[in-house]
Amino acid sequence: MIKSVLRGFALAAAMSAVAFAAAKNPTVGGAAMFDSKNIIENAVNSKDHTTLVAAVKAAGLVSTLEGKGPFTVFAPTNEAFAALPKGTVDTLLKPENKATLTKVLTCHVVAADAMAKTVAKMIKDDGGEHDIKTVGGCVLKAKENMGQITLTDENGGVSHVTIADVKQSNGVIHVVDKVLLPKM
């Protein structure tokens, strides 16, 4: 009887460990992401998001993204920024272009905690495409195909969510492979 109870506890402990491991955040840019840290605290550790972090600092958005939220951030990688026309990032990072940089960055932020499952449901409920309004005033067109969410910006540029549901203490990050640009 005691052995049976102990086996039951051992099985329950093992199942709890598996459930905990399954709920773990994905690694982003070689760094562990912690749901107890905010968007900025996690982003600064991702080697794939150094350009995004530099841009957020230059735009003066650090304190906002460290704030309570909730926020959903579609976080472009360094490669996404590098794919912009030559000189674009350097130009955006200049102090005289802070307003434009802020507009570009805030078109990647939604004032909600939108996990991929929620976004996919909104897409389905809206017949295959859902408009997402960003804090920068941009409207992104979200679509889902075979489990992958894409976002189309106001210029027709399409970005794919490559890593979804990176939980943060103040929202969620979805890593994207293209910079989403507002209509200027």
Side-chain angles (χ1 to χ4, degrees), residues 14-42:
M15 290 176 72
S16 294
V18 169
F20 179 74
K24 185 178 166 188
N25 258 351
T27 299
V28 177
M33 298 286 117
F34 300 98
D35 62 4
S36 60
K37 293 185 176 185
N38 67 47
I39 291 165
I40 296 299
E41 290 171 325
N42 275 317

Side-chain angles (χ1 to χ4, degrees), residues 38-107:
N38 67 47
I39 291 165
I40 296 299
E41 290 171 325
N42 275 317
V44 298
N45 294 316
S46 169
K47 66 178 171 60
D48 292 342
H49 291 90
T50 56
T51 305
L52 177 62
V53 169
V56 166
K57 288 177 181 177
L61 294 172
V62 170
S63 61
T64 301
L65 293 175
E66 287 178 329
K68 183 179 177 184
F71 302 109
T72 296
V73 176
F74 298 107
T77 61
N78 294 342
E79 286 181 6
F81 280 101
L84 293 171
K86 186 174 173 70
T88 301
V89 173
D90 291 336
T91 299
L92 285 171
L93 292 175
K94 291 181 180 177
E96 62 269 23
N97 295 320
K98 183 177 178 179
T100 303
L101 176 61
T102 300
K103 176 77 171 173
V104 169
L105 292 175
T106 56
C107 283

